Amino acid sequence: MSTVQHDVDERTNLISSNKFELLLFRLGESGISERSELFGINVFKVREIVAMPVITAVAGALPHNLGVVNLRGQIIPVIDLASVVGCKPKTGLNIMLVTEFARSTQGFAVESVEEIVRLEWSQVLSAEASTAGGMVTSIARLDGDAENTRLAQVLDVEQILRQMAPKDIKDVDSETIGAKLVIKPGSVILAADDSAVARGLIGQALDAIGAPYIMAKTGKEAWEKLQAIYATAQAEGKDIRDKVAMVLTDLEMPEMDGFTLTRNIKQDERFKGMPVVIHSSLTGSTNEEHVKSVGADAYVAKFVAEELAATIRRVVAH
């Protein structure tokens, strides 16, 4: 475990072209088979890995919430990740992954930690429906395109947080979100996010400010849609900005991540001046610096609808 922790500390700052690192762990038997399946979470979200500390139960806690731990003075809720996805550990919940995303810190109890693998996002396929109760956003082919590649289920942390801590992800309040967005008639916002929960919340926010939109599930899908819209605009003798007011993208997505999508847009003369806003649960100054390096016009952390709306209004107005 100490080697894995060293890798987390050493590689958290990794940003390569359409690459990421996945921390692999096991949760136990799934109930469908006796095999212990591999699961994964982006290294960017893992603050540290510790042996399971003493947990204090909390009265009235939601199902799958084991209680809280005191980690160097910080009180952290601990989620039974095995139970969430329907697995039964063979040896118990031995490890806690301390994760940070969506402006919150929480511990995920897992059976064991395996290794960290570096992957191309092209090795990750979208897979919202799974045996893990809809908690999996994609499937990673760990050994590339080999026929007998190992597979790992990449967990949808937004969905887990939504179910385990609903107070941390609130529905959009149309009364507090602010003024309607003013954009060119006929233009839309092109949004990309691989999480069904995130897409739903983004859609609520855009509806609340009266912004028409097109939604994509991956960066690759968004890139293909943008190019198709450009071709249509050209055929009609229009500018791409007459069709697309801005692009809103997540960072972690199968096939093509948000960094690569943003870089593609900003380096392509066809989309000169196209505003791009990155909307991600990967918070922190390091990620914000990476956002600047690929030329994004703004960065907003998930998920506060009022902040997202204010950012969209500011970027589109320029």
Side-chain angles (χ1 to χ4, degrees):
M1 187 175 69
S2 60
T3 300
V4 173
Q5 179 64 56
H6 172 74
D7 288 341
V8 170
D9 295 337
E10 184 181 55
R11 299 176 180 178
T12 295
N13 293 330
L14 173 71
I15 280 294
S16 300
S17 178
N18 208 37
K19 294 180 181 179
F20 75 114
E21 289 188 327
L22 193 67
L23 173 67
L24 300 177
F25 53 89
R26 296 188 187 274
L27 299 174
E29 298 175 356
S30 66
I32 296 176
S33 70
E34 295 183 356
R35 186 174 62 181
S36 182
E37 302 291 350
L38 275 173
F39 291 86
I41 188 171
N42 195 321
V43 167
F44 273 118
K45 289 178 173 156
V46 181
R47 192 179 82 186
E48 59 185 304
I49 302 166
V50 298
M52 185 59 66
V54 175
I55 298 175
T56 300
V58 175
L62 293 171
H64 313 300
N65 192 325
L66 296 175
V68 297
V69 299
N70 184 350
L71 190 63
R72 296 185 296 279
Q74 183 180 13
I75 304 302
I76 299 173
V78 182
I79 295 170
D80 181 349
L81 200 52
S83 177
V84 169
V85 302
C87 288
K88 293 183 178 180
K90 294 180 179 179
T91 63
L93 297 171
N94 307 305
I95 304 294
M96 183 174 74
L97 309 181
V98 181
T99 64
E100 293 182 333
F101 53 90
R103 307 169 190 245
S104 64
T105 301
Q106 48 281 310
F108 285 140
V110 304
E111 182 175 33
S112 63
V113 169
E114 297 291 305
E115 60 179 317
I116 289 174
V117 292
R118 184 173 298 183
L119 303 173
E120 299 273 355
W121 275 110
S122 59
Q123 292 173 241
V124 183
L125 305 178
S126 181
E128 289 184 344
S130 76
T131 56
M135 298 294 176
V136 169
T137 187
S138 52
I139 302 294
R141 298 173 294 188
L142 302 181
D143 307 310
D145 294 322
E147 183 177 345
N148 296 317
T149 182
R150 294 173 300 155
L151 300 176
Q153 301 177 66
V154 182
L155 292 174
D156 184 343
V157 291
E158 277 88 4
Q159 174 66 28
I160 293 171
L161 184 60
R162 175 77 163 177
Q163 180 171 317
M164 299 301 106
K167 65 180 178 64
D168 292 334
I169 300 183
K170 299 177 181 178
D171 288 328
V172 174
D173 185 344
S174 58
E175 294 184 1
T176 63
I177 200 167
K180 298 291 185 180
L181 181 68
V182 179
I183 58 175
K184 288 184 178 181
S187 66
V188 301
I189 291 176
L190 176 59
D193 201 298
D194 66 326
S195 168
V197 167
R199 289 198 303 274
L201 291 168
I202 291 167
Q204 287 182 33
L206 295 177
D207 286 337
I209 61 174
Y213 60 89
I214 296 174
M215 196 72 70
K217 295 181 181 179
T218 71
K220 181 181 178 183
E221 183 184 352
W223 177 236
E224 290 172 348
K225 285 180 181 293
L226 185 60
Q227 293 180 92
I229 294 170
Y230 174 84
T232 300
Q234 287 287 290
E236 297 175 359
K238 296 181 178 180
D239 184 83
I240 182 62
R241 295 292 300 278
D242 295 325
K243 296 282 189 178
V244 179
M246 61 162 282
V247 175
L248 177 68
T249 179
D250 186 22
L251 287 181
E252 300 177 281
M253 292 182 290
E255 301 181 293
M256 180 187 290
D257 67 10
F259 287 119
T260 303
L261 173 62
T262 302
R263 190 181 298 113
N264 284 353
I265 293 170
K266 292 300 183 178
Q267 294 179 354
D268 195 317
E269 281 297 316
R270 294 176 296 174
F271 308 116
K272 187 175 181 179
M274 174 66 66
V276 179
V277 172
I278 288 180
H279 181 230
S280 175
S281 60
L282 295 178
T283 55
S285 58
T286 298
N287 288 303
E288 292 187 35
E289 286 301 315
H290 291 146
V291 165
K292 293 177 183 177
S293 73
V294 295
D297 296 87
Y299 170 89
V300 59
K302 291 179 178 176
F303 184 85
V304 177
E306 290 79 6
E307 291 183 13
L308 176 60
T311 302
I312 291 173
R313 282 191 289 265
R314 174 173 56 82
V315 169
V316 169
H318 286 157

